[in-house]
Amino acid sequence: MNAYQPRTEDSAFLLLQVLDASQQLQELPPFAEVDAGLMQQVLEEAGKFVGDVVAPLNRSGDETGCRFEAGRVTTPAGFRPAYQAFWQAGWPALACAPEDGGQGLPAVLQAVLYEMLSAANHGWTMAPGLLHGAYECLRHHGSDALKQRYLPRIASGEWLATMCLTEAQAGSDLGLVRTRAVAQADGSFRLSGTKIFISGGEHDLSDNIVHLVLARLPDAPAGPKGLSLFLAPKFLPEGRRNPIFCERIEEKMGLHGSPTCVMRFDDATGWLVGEPHRGLNAMFVMMNAARLHVGLQGIGLLEAAWQKAQAYAQERRQMRAPGASSTSLIAEHPAIRRILDTQRAWIDGGRVLAYRTAIELDLARHHPDADRREHAQRWCSLVTPVLKAAFTQQAFGGASECLQVFGGHGYVREWGIEQIVRDARVTMIYEGTNEIQAIDLLVRKVLADGGAGLSALLQELALGLDGQQASQAGVLRRFDALRTQTAALVQASPARADLPYWVADDFLRALALALLGWAWTQIECRSAGQARPARWSGPARALALWVLPEFDMRLGIIQTQLTGNERSARA
Amino acid sequence: MNAYQPRTEDSAFLLLQVLDASQQLQELPPFAEVDAGLMQQVLEEAGKFVGDVVAPLNRSGDETGCRFEAGRVTTPAGFRPAYQAFWQAGWPALACAPEDGGQGLPAVLQAVLYEMLSAANHGWTMAPGLLHGAYECLRHHGSDALKQRYLPRIASGEWLATMCLTEAQAGSDLGLVRTRAVAQADGSFRLSGTKIFISGGEHDLSDNIVHLVLARLPDAPAGPKGLSLFLAPKFLPEGRRNPIFCERIEEKMGLHGSPTCVMRFDDATGWLVGEPHRGLNAMFVMMNAARLHVGLQGIGLLEAAWQKAQAYAQERRQMRAPGASSTSLIAEHPAIRRILDTQRAWIDGGRVLAYRTAIELDLARHHPDADRREHAQRWCSLVTPVLKAAFTQQAFGGASECLQVFGGHGYVREWGIEQIVRDARVTMIYEGTNEIQAIDLLVRKVLADGGAGLSALLQELALGLDGQQASQAGVLRRFDALRTQTAALVQASPARADLPYWVADDFLRALALALLGWAWTQIECRSAGQARPARWSGPARALALWVLPEFDMRLGIIQTQLTGNERSARA
């Protein structure tokens, strides 16, 4: 079965024509020269690298997996040369600042690059995928000395980075972290403790590994507000090996190309990043970008699954489709058509939302006007958890539907579709489980300001929609319903502290569907004159028929709990 | 992590108290002596065997898998001794007729046994799981000579059996089968062709393997009506090896304990079972039982997943639940509670439906009254595809939700929950994909008689429900809505041949939810006086809040296509 191939024309259309990315970005001083032509060219080059170098390693990476022996981790054959080619070609530095050796391009191009990389080879992509968080974190919170020593090599990707957060007893609840940090006379710290689930904690892809480690100072208060962040490299500046040891790698359901390490810090040397006890704060700078990237992984994996299923459905013949006079391609059978078009509805709409979020990240960083920056920040803060949760769920569920297209062959490894299902499953868990995204959205983002931010965002998206067109009227109706229900939740929650936690998942789903509907109105506006109208009209129909009906169901579920009338639920 | 343990008290309660199984079965002449005490005793013994012998081999079976070398298949360590103990203890023969050496117990006990076996070790259970279809098929359609030679050893399980249907070009579409059968002077046939996806095609569990093979006689018409069924053993009666070769076994997503074989028939000797060209007909005798068993696999796997997640949630502490003053068990967090109770709603309700179906199979075979037999047949014909599709989908999706309870640990193999997700995935495909079940239900069962059979079934279930009780009123409302929509589909379909194919999946889901709601009214009636009311009230609440709302969504989706007013779907 052929490997995934990036289709940059689709992404370019959504980015440049549906979202007007180049016009918006050219208003930002650092991107004044970034026109549509340049963006398209970058995407095509990226697609070529991804398709030629990274995608062919996906299947063998899953089959071989990473090997652990005596503290060393060997990645699958071809992974190191591909990574060396990747950083030497400048890809990790795409959106880094020129003063750090970066190319200074918009983050949205990096977003599309990582969507393609995840589609091509999720396991391999885990390693560079962690660079950008480390870069942002160090750039904003590192001391000058640390920055001078580490920032350029993280920006370039010459050295890879990790995030050492989780411990056996501290998963979603980082307040329970126990790793200790003790100050030394020379201004450094000694770190001791054991971290688990460390992606790329040890490997052979790069010559050094820079760990960012959450730990607790001796005088730290208990809980999450007693955590500090430290940088601790595998090799110290003088070349000595820092006592940071990989104890084992996990055997996992998938993602075999990425080593998930148990890391022991044995009085390892590190340096403080940011202020003492403000470690979580230092990490928040990268939270939205990191979660957006997981959402993009979901979209990429779903695209990879769709490509495989689509190719198979266009080649395999079984039974007659309704009305056909001889054995049909399975793509002509309604059940298969529905699966394929439904995934496209999620992928294309998801791209609009994810690319728009990446553009807003660029605006939040670089727009000259503070109001517009805050505005962009609001978008990111509200939409990012939705993207992370809804599109990773769809990646897993939708890839499983694509597997179904293959019948029994889907269950057999050689076709590669079951790998996507296994790989995709982890995206629902890491970077904050999807349940935690839902609580983050409803409790910390929506209810915290009495629903004002969400209401303003929806109002803004509603501008320019025309109530006469059915699909746009549908969006307006859903936005209104969401606003009404948000107001009811704002009112009811103070007296019922657990209510938001019971309905958070449904609220996130409802918002995801409302935004997806909006995204498709934007696609429909711009695709009307396109050469292949069926390319967009099939998925638009699938969206209306099979995806959006869930919205009312979700609102109904919330309503039942809001009214507290569970008796009505039964009838 | 502990292996699955059968909880026979739950199954016994549902079977004996909710479904009154013993009263119903004792009306049948062969089961006059089968009282509740005997049934309970059989379940307890079965649970003990499953828990002690079969469950402990599940993890190692997944890790080791089956090995293929030079045409031979070696099953994981312990599999053969466990199988030998299983058949020697008489378990395969539980529900076989006494004249074939069986114990003559009701099929419903076998159903519960196989639910437990699948929960304990899906891979191992595949081998004996195929015996019963072969037994029924041979019993009803085999010649006396064939029966004499093979039936007792299939009944006892001394020899295992396969079903050789699929070929590379013939999956869901068996009409495309090409394997040839040529008559010999001695009344035997020579079979040539290659079959794929043959579960247990070759292995070391039993001393002989009896293959049932679909093939085409030289004068056969094209399509499914030109297929004949043959019996071809691995070792011929005189001890000679029949030229039936395993060419390779598939590398699969899961189910590693079961070898999925490519089998080559190289002028192999076989004998006709049933009439020429009526091979599919000879197989239909076992279709409902086989599909019911796949539905039970789904229920079993979901129970196994729930047990793991429940145990973890009762042990792991992270963050404070709403209103709690210190770190809580994760079972106290609403998102986790919802996942756990929702699975129980499916499992317990599913058991009521599946056990009832197994009882109806017993009634269809043994009831003295022809009307009652036909009546039972109607239940099986309508409910079986629903069970197969809905409960295998829930097994996969629900096991994935149970995995989510573990956070990152769920993705790690050692906890065993990800194996359940991988193993469960195949149940949505084999024995007719879930999409084919939906078409079977709507096109071949419901619309074929103008909706009369379904309407009568729902009417009968509605008797005894009380419109004053909220949950019962809900069931009545759903039944009415289904009947109305069925009538509309009956009316619309002649002019729109493709319509049923577009809505079949939704129709099956809607019926599944309506039946699940009914099943829970039965549980609620009988559990009111139980010692642990929360055991049943939590899942009942989950059903009402989170499961049943999908019913109206499904009906809405069908309605949109019925009216052909897709514009309305967008608004």
Side-chain angles (χ1 to χ4, degrees):
Chain A
M1 198 68 188
N2 291 336
Y4 157 83
Q5 275 299 327
R7 304 187 175 194
T8 47
E9 71 277 23
D10 277 2
S11 294
F13 168 69
L14 296 171
L15 194 57
L16 299 171
Q17 294 189 253
V18 174
L19 289 167
D20 289 328
S22 57
Q23 283 93 316
Q24 287 190 66
L25 292 167
Q26 282 190 293
E27 286 176 24
L28 309 182
F31 306 137
E33 313 291 312
V34 182
D35 60 14
L38 174 60
M39 290 179 77
Q40 189 134 10
Q41 193 190 334
V42 171
L43 291 183
E44 279 164 24
E45 285 298 316
K48 217 166 118 50
F49 186 93
V50 171
D52 292 350
V53 178
V54 181
L57 302 172
N58 189 44
R59 261 275 291 158
S60 63
D62 180 60
E63 291 292 323
T64 317
C66 294
R67 277 186 304 115
F68 174 78
E69 214 185 318
R72 302 171 78 100
V73 173
T74 309
T75 57
F79 270 40
R80 182 180 159 96
Y83 183 69
Q84 291 292 320
F86 182 69
W87 83 260
Q88 282 161 10
W91 290 113
L94 196 70
C96 295
E99 62 267 30
D100 300 321
Q103 297 182 43
L105 287 166
V108 68
L109 289 175
Q110 192 184 59
V112 184
L113 166 65
Y114 274 85
E115 180 206 315
M116 293 192 280
L117 284 170
S118 302
N121 194 329
H122 184 190
W124 183 92
T125 302
M126 288 297 288
L130 292 164
L131 278 172
H132 311 285
Y135 170 77
E136 291 296 332
C137 184
L138 199 58
R139 181 174 154 82
H140 286 87
H141 297 283
S143 68
D144 286 343
L146 270 189
K147 285 204 265 192
Q148 200 172 13
R149 211 181 285 148
Y150 292 99
L151 204 52
R153 281 159 134 169
I154 287 176
S156 71
E158 180 181 355
W159 291 350
L160 282 164
T162 75
M163 294 298 315
C164 297
L165 279 53
T166 305
E167 300 178 6
Q169 77 294 346
S172 298
D173 192 349
L174 289 173
L176 302 174
V177 156
R178 289 187 200 139
T179 295
R180 282 164 302 115
V182 180
Q184 306 297 301
D186 65 358
S188 72
F189 292 79
R190 290 291 171 85
L191 309 178
S192 324
T194 299
K195 296 284 182 178
I196 67 169
F197 298 156
I198 309 307
S199 294
E202 179 58 48
H203 56 69
D204 54 7
L205 299 175
S206 60
D207 297 337
N208 200 358
I209 301 173
V210 180
H211 303 282
L212 290 175
V213 188
L214 274 187
R216 207 175 278 285
L217 290 166
D219 60 340
K225 287 175 181 165
L227 296 172
S228 307
L229 188 67
F230 299 88
L231 181 154
K234 176 177 173 184
F235 290 103
L236 291 162
E238 69 273 21
R240 188 165 56 86
R241 181 74 161 80
N242 208 357
I244 301 171
F245 303 109
C246 177
E247 295 203 325
R248 70 159 200 273
I249 64 176
E250 307 288 354
E251 297 288 329
K252 306 190 298 297
M253 183 182 195
L255 211 63
H256 296 153
S258 173
T260 304
C261 304
V262 175
M263 300 299 294
R264 194 177 81 244
F265 292 79
D266 229 355
D267 272 338
T269 299
W271 295 275
L272 189 67
V273 177
E275 293 168 49
H277 314 323
R278 305 266 295 158
L280 285 184
N281 192 56
M283 284 172 41
F284 274 132
V285 64
M286 60 192 194
M287 183 97 77
N288 278 331
R291 291 183 170 178
L292 166 62
H293 273 242
V294 179
L296 284 159
Q297 289 173 352
I299 294 169
L301 287 161
L302 191 56
E303 164 77 16
W306 177 87
Q307 283 193 14
K308 277 188 188 293
Q310 167 77 3
Y312 187 80
Q314 293 291 350
E315 180 186 296
R316 172 86 169 172
R317 290 183 180 274
Q318 291 283 280
M319 297 187 287
R320 280 182 293 178
S325 57
S326 64
T327 305
S328 308
L329 286 173
I330 61 170
E332 290 157 17
H333 288 284
I336 304 294
R337 194 71 265 145
R338 173 175 178 166
I339 289 174
L340 293 170
D341 283 349
T342 298
Q343 307 324 313
R344 278 247 67 86
W346 280 96
I347 297 164
D348 297 328
R351 282 175 170 163
V352 170
L353 296 172
Y355 298 171
R356 164 83 186 255
T357 304
I359 293 169
E360 298 287 337
L361 276 177
D362 281 320
L363 296 173
R365 279 178 199 145
H366 301 295
H367 203 283
D369 177 33
D371 275 0
R372 185 63 188 89
R373 289 201 302 275
E374 197 179 323
H375 201 250
Q377 198 53 55
R378 185 184 70 203
W379 173 283
C380 294
S381 130
L382 287 165
V383 178
T384 305
V386 175
L387 282 169
K388 195 282 180 184
F391 289 88
T392 58
Q393 181 180 340
Q394 190 61 29
F396 177 70
S400 169
E401 292 199 44
C402 289
L403 186 156
Q404 194 76 0
V405 170
F406 288 77
H409 298 282
Y411 201 63
V412 172
R413 298 184 70 147
E414 73 179 285
W415 292 87
I417 184 78
E418 64 84 39
Q419 180 191 344
I420 301 176
V421 177
R422 285 185 291 107
D423 285 356
R425 185 62 184 81
V426 75
T427 61
M428 296 167 67
I429 301 169
Y430 63 27
E431 204 58 45
T433 66
N434 286 358
E435 289 73 19
I436 286 184
Q437 304 296 325
I439 292 168
D440 179 58
L441 172 71
L442 181 57
V443 179
R444 271 172 262 164
K445 308 279 175 67
V446 173
L447 298 181
D449 71 359
L454 177 64
S455 183
L457 182 141
L458 296 178
Q459 208 141 22
E460 189 188 307
L461 291 180
L463 294 175
L465 292 186
D466 170 2
Q468 297 307 302
Q469 288 200 35
S471 57
Q472 300 194 8
V475 172
L476 293 173
R477 180 184 72 75
R478 277 174 227 113
F479 285 1
D480 275 344
L482 260 179
R483 267 199 299 264
T484 305
Q485 207 166 47
T486 303
L489 284 168
V490 167
Q491 200 164 24
S493 296
R496 293 165 64 195
D498 62 336
L499 176 64
Y501 293 84
W502 286 108
V503 302
D505 289 321
D506 302 294
F507 191 89
L508 185 144
R509 285 295 294 181
L511 180 54
L513 293 162
L515 292 173
L516 196 63
W518 170 83
W520 268 97
T521 61
Q522 306 303 298
I523 296 175
E524 290 184 290
C525 290
R526 300 302 175 98
S527 63
Q530 285 279 300
R532 302 168 297 150
R535 162 68 184 82
W536 306 102
S537 61
R541 178 171 178 270
L543 181 87
L545 283 178
W546 301 305
V547 179
L548 293 179
E550 187 189 329
F551 179 86
D552 289 335
M553 180 184 93
R554 294 290 170 184
L555 250 56
I557 290 175
I558 299 172
Q559 189 61 30
T560 301
Q561 304 222 31
L562 251 173
T563 57
N565 184 3
E566 295 188 5
R567 190 179 186 284
S568 75
R570 309 199 168 195
Chain B
M1 198 67 189
N2 291 336
Y4 155 85
Q5 277 298 327
R7 304 188 175 193
T8 46
E9 71 277 23
D10 277 2
S11 293
F13 169 69
L14 296 171
L15 194 57
L16 299 171
Q17 295 191 252
V18 174
L19 289 168
D20 289 327
S22 55
Q23 283 94 316
Q24 288 191 65
L25 292 167
Q26 284 191 293
E27 288 176 23
L28 309 182
F31 306 136
E33 313 291 311
V34 182
D35 61 14
L38 174 60
M39 291 180 78
Q40 189 135 9
Q41 192 190 335
V42 171
L43 291 183
E44 279 164 25
E45 285 299 314
K48 217 167 118 49
F49 187 93
V50 171
D52 291 350
V53 178
V54 181
L57 302 172
N58 189 42
R59 263 274 292 158
S60 63
D62 181 59
E63 291 293 324
T64 318
C66 294
R67 277 185 306 113
F68 174 78
E69 215 185 318
R72 300 173 79 101
V73 172
T74 311
T75 57
F79 270 40
R80 183 180 158 95
Y83 182 70
Q84 291 293 320
F86 182 70
W87 84 260
Q88 282 161 9
W91 291 114
L94 197 69
C96 295
E99 60 266 30
D100 301 320
Q103 298 183 43
L105 286 166
V108 68
L109 290 175
Q110 190 185 59
V112 185
L113 167 66
Y114 274 85
E115 181 206 314
M116 293 192 280
L117 285 170
S118 303
N121 194 330
H122 183 190
W124 183 92
T125 301
M126 288 297 289
L130 291 164
L131 278 172
H132 311 285
Y135 170 76
E136 292 295 333
C137 185
L138 199 57
R139 181 173 154 80
H140 285 88
H141 297 283
S143 67
D144 287 342
L146 271 188
K147 284 203 267 193
Q148 198 172 15
R149 209 180 286 148
Y150 292 100
L151 204 52
R153 282 158 134 169
I154 287 177
S156 70
E158 179 181 355
W159 291 351
L160 282 164
T162 75
M163 293 298 315
C164 298
L165 279 53
T166 306
E167 299 178 8
Q169 77 293 344
S172 298
D173 192 350
L174 288 174
L176 302 174
V177 155
R178 288 187 202 139
T179 295
R180 281 165 301 116
V182 180
Q184 305 297 302
D186 64 357
S188 72
F189 291 79
R190 289 292 171 85
L191 307 178
S192 326
T194 299
K195 296 285 181 178
I196 66 169
F197 298 156
I198 308 308
S199 294
E202 180 57 49
H203 56 70
D204 54 7
L205 299 176
S206 60
D207 297 336
N208 199 359
I209 302 174
V210 180
H211 303 283
L212 290 176
V213 189
L214 274 187
R216 207 176 277 285
L217 291 165
D219 60 340
K225 288 178 180 162
L227 295 173
S228 306
L229 188 67
F230 299 88
L231 181 155
K234 177 177 170 183
F235 290 103
L236 291 163
E238 70 271 21
R240 190 166 54 86
R241 182 76 162 80
N242 209 355
I244 300 171
F245 303 110
C246 178
E247 294 203 324
R248 68 160 201 275
I249 63 175
E250 308 288 353
E251 297 288 328
K252 307 189 296 297
M253 183 182 195
L255 210 63
H256 295 153
S258 173
T260 304
C261 305
V262 175
M263 300 300 293
R264 195 177 82 243
F265 292 79
D266 231 355
D267 270 338
T269 298
W271 296 274
L272 189 66
V273 177
E275 293 167 48
H277 315 323
R278 303 266 294 159
L280 286 183
N281 191 57
M283 284 172 44
F284 274 132
V285 66
M286 59 192 196
M287 183 98 74
N288 278 330
R291 291 184 170 176
L292 166 62
H293 273 242
V294 179
L296 284 159
Q297 288 172 353
I299 294 169
L301 287 161
L302 190 57
E303 165 77 16
W306 177 87
Q307 282 193 14
K308 278 188 187 292
Q310 167 77 2
Y312 187 80
Q314 293 292 352
E315 176 186 299
R316 172 86 168 171
R317 290 183 180 275
Q318 293 281 282
M319 298 189 287
R320 280 182 292 177
S325 56
S326 65
T327 305
S328 307
L329 287 173
I330 62 171
E332 291 158 15
H333 289 285
I336 304 295
R337 196 69 265 145
R338 173 174 178 166
I339 288 173
L340 294 171
D341 284 349
T342 298
Q343 306 326 312
R344 279 247 65 88
W346 280 95
I347 297 164
D348 297 328
R351 281 175 170 163
V352 170
L353 296 173
Y355 299 170
R356 163 84 186 254
T357 304
I359 294 170
E360 299 287 338
L361 275 177
D362 280 319
L363 296 174
R365 278 179 201 146
H366 301 294
H367 203 283
D369 177 33
D371 274 359
R372 184 65 188 87
R373 288 201 303 275
E374 198 180 323
H375 202 249
Q377 198 53 54
R378 185 183 70 203
W379 172 284
C380 295
S381 131
L382 286 165
V383 178
T384 306
V386 174
L387 281 169
K388 194 284 180 182
F391 288 87
T392 59
Q393 181 179 338
Q394 191 60 29
F396 176 71
S400 169
E401 290 198 47
C402 290
L403 186 157
Q404 193 76 1
V405 170
F406 287 76
H409 297 282
Y411 200 63
V412 172
R413 298 184 71 148
E414 73 179 286
W415 293 86
I417 184 79
E418 64 84 38
Q419 180 192 344
I420 301 177
V421 177
R422 285 185 292 106
D423 285 356
R425 185 61 185 81
V426 76
T427 61
M428 297 167 67
I429 301 169
Y430 62 27
E431 205 55 49
T433 67
N434 285 358
E435 290 73 19
I436 286 183
Q437 303 297 326
I439 293 169
D440 179 57
L441 172 71
L442 182 56
V443 178
R444 270 172 264 165
K445 308 278 175 67
V446 173
L447 297 182
D449 70 359
L454 177 63
S455 183
L457 183 140
L458 295 177
Q459 208 141 20
E460 187 186 307
L461 291 178
L463 294 174
L465 293 187
D466 169 3
Q468 299 305 304
Q469 286 199 39
S471 57
Q472 299 194 8
V475 172
L476 293 174
R477 182 184 72 74
R478 276 175 229 114
F479 284 1
D480 275 345
L482 260 180
R483 268 200 298 264
T484 306
Q485 207 166 47
T486 303
L489 283 168
V490 167
Q491 199 163 26
S493 296
R496 293 164 63 196
D498 62 336
L499 175 64
Y501 295 84
W502 285 109
V503 302
D505 289 320
D506 302 293
F507 190 88
L508 185 144
R509 286 295 294 180
L511 180 53
L513 293 161
L515 292 173
L516 196 63
W518 170 82
W520 268 97
T521 61
Q522 305 304 297
I523 297 175
E524 289 184 291
C525 290
R526 301 301 176 98
S527 64
Q530 284 280 298
R532 304 168 295 152
R535 162 68 182 83
W536 306 102
S537 62
R541 178 171 179 269
L543 181 87
L545 283 177
W546 301 306
V547 178
L548 293 179
E550 188 190 329
F551 178 86
D552 289 335
M553 181 185 94
R554 295 289 169 184
L555 251 55
I557 290 175
I558 300 172
Q559 191 59 31
T560 301
Q561 303 220 33
L562 252 173
T563 57
N565 184 2
E566 294 188 6
R567 189 179 187 285
S568 75
R570 309 199 167 195

